[in-house]
Amino acid sequence: MEVFEVGLIGGPAERWYRKARPEVEAMPWGTLPMADFAPDVVARARRVWTMAAFQEYRTGAACTRALQHLFACGAPVDLIALCSRFPLDEVVHVELAARLLQELGGAVELRFDPERLGPEPSPDRDPLMRAAELMMRVFCVGEAVSIPILRASWQHAELPLIRDVLARIVKDEAVHGEVGAWFFGWCIDAFDGDERAHLRAVAHDEVGKLVRSWERFRPSARPEREVDLHGEAFGLTTGDSGAGRLGWMPESIYFSTAHAALESAVLQPLAALGLDPREHASIPEHP
Ligand SMILES: [Fe+2]
Ligand SMILES: [Fe+2]
């Protein structure tokens, strides 16, 4: 396990990056009213944003892996071109979260397994199916579900810096949530009945991981230690602690938003493609 840390090399590389994405420097850094927040609230916000930075980092790695398989399967170059922007978007989001952490007093220690940064496709499948498995997991499920959740987080945010950071992420992510459906629109006819059943099973597996992760965040379903370790992983706050102003959104809104997002942004588009994971098996955790 490695400690999660990010840094810059500076010089020409940083100048190129700043020119490509000037919005990072343009944020209202230094405007958080830190004196308004109790130390325990700041400590929780540091955990929230450390997890957020890592999620963005992991998503960047997952997008990159999916992109590699788009090349391998001979996907249309306009689709590849679009997807080649996504790793850069995710790196910008990593930096936004990291700079927010600097303002909050620094990241908390987070360890990760570098060998397991993103999903692996089935080794025995052909290149198109391998790409399809990754596009399903990363974009049709993971990225698609996050868009309505992020949008709600942004609408809930009050402080200018938090609002601007979330607004940037929401703006970049909009297309990340749609590209999975475009990919399948291109290649769905190439899959026979067994292959479509396999894709529904892959979607079911990924959706299952997602809803089980949400269930673990419910206060009633987790021991105190879990609250500490995972409770704020997606910016959940349990009430009027003030952390909501530094994190994302209150728990009371989070769960209904997340399940509505699963329905509208994941299950309905997959059903329209004939890849509804509920045809594979029911999703008991999703009402
Ligand atoms: Fe992102
Ligand atoms: Fe994304």
Side-chain angles (χ1 to χ4, degrees):
M1 299 289 271
E2 299 288 331
V3 174
F4 174 59
E5 283 176 321
V6 295
L8 296 167
I9 191 174
E14 187 184 358
R15 282 199 295 279
W16 178 91
Y17 169 51
R18 296 293 174 217
K19 208 172 158 189
R21 302 302 291 263
E23 62 269 22
V24 179
E25 302 265 84
M27 300 269 162
W29 301 113
T31 60
L32 287 181
M34 294 304 292
D36 291 1
F37 300 106
D40 65 312
V41 171
V42 175
R44 290 176 62 188
R46 288 172 61 200
R47 288 203 296 276
V48 169
W49 285 100
T50 300
M51 273 307 297
F54 178 67
Q55 294 283 18
E56 298 287 359
Y57 191 82
R58 189 162 62 178
T59 305
C63 288
T64 306
R65 187 167 290 175
L67 178 61
Q68 181 191 343
H69 285 79
L70 288 181
F71 276 98
C73 78
V77 288
D78 48 358
L79 194 70
I80 295 178
L82 175 59
C83 291
S84 70
R85 195 197 85 184
F86 300 162
L88 176 58
D89 289 343
E90 302 302 350
V91 165
V92 168
H93 306 164
V94 171
E95 196 197 359
L96 291 173
R99 285 179 70 153
L100 205 45
L101 279 162
Q102 276 179 345
E103 307 231 337
L104 292 166
V108 300
E109 186 174 298
L110 187 152
R111 289 177 180 274
F112 71 104
D113 182 351
E115 301 291 332
R116 299 181 58 190
L117 257 185
E120 289 283 353
S122 306
D124 52 345
R125 295 281 178 168
D126 64 39
L128 183 62
M129 179 56 88
R130 286 160 63 81
E133 287 183 7
L134 290 179
M135 293 302 286
M136 176 64 80
R137 290 186 189 277
V138 179
F139 292 101
C140 294
V141 179
E143 292 287 84
V145 81
S146 74
I147 316 295
I149 299 174
L150 282 164
R151 197 177 298 122
S153 303
W154 165 60
Q155 284 162 350
H156 184 77
E158 300 163 16
L159 299 169
L161 179 58
I162 304 278
R163 271 191 78 84
D164 280 14
V165 166
L166 287 169
R168 180 73 245 171
I169 294 174
V170 166
K171 198 172 175 192
D172 291 339
E173 293 291 344
V175 70
H176 300 204
E178 293 203 62
V179 77
W182 299 341
F183 168 81
F184 282 105
W186 163 65
C187 66
I188 190 74
D189 291 342
F191 297 119
D192 65 20
D194 286 350
E195 288 170 321
R196 290 179 202 211
H198 172 69
L199 285 166
R200 285 192 285 269
V202 168
H204 188 271
D205 179 60
E206 196 65 26
V207 168
K209 284 181 195 162
L210 191 68
V211 288
R212 284 194 297 278
S213 76
W214 294 341
E215 285 307 307
R216 281 204 304 276
F217 301 147
R218 261 186 217 285
S220 56
R222 66 197 189 208
E224 222 25 62
R225 188 172 151 69
E226 282 269 300
V227 175
D228 194 47
L229 284 175
H230 303 294
E232 291 93 23
F234 292 101
L236 300 186
T237 63
T238 44
D240 299 326
S241 65
R245 299 183 65 211
L246 290 176
W248 291 356
M249 78 179 128
E251 209 164 77
S252 55
I253 303 172
Y254 184 85
F255 291 106
S256 57
T257 303
H259 281 280
L262 178 60
E263 193 64 39
S264 66
V266 178
L267 297 175
Q268 286 173 13
L270 285 177
L273 290 163
L275 299 175
D276 191 333
R278 290 168 295 192
E279 284 182 42
H280 172 77
S282 69
I283 303 166
E285 303 90 344
H286 177 64

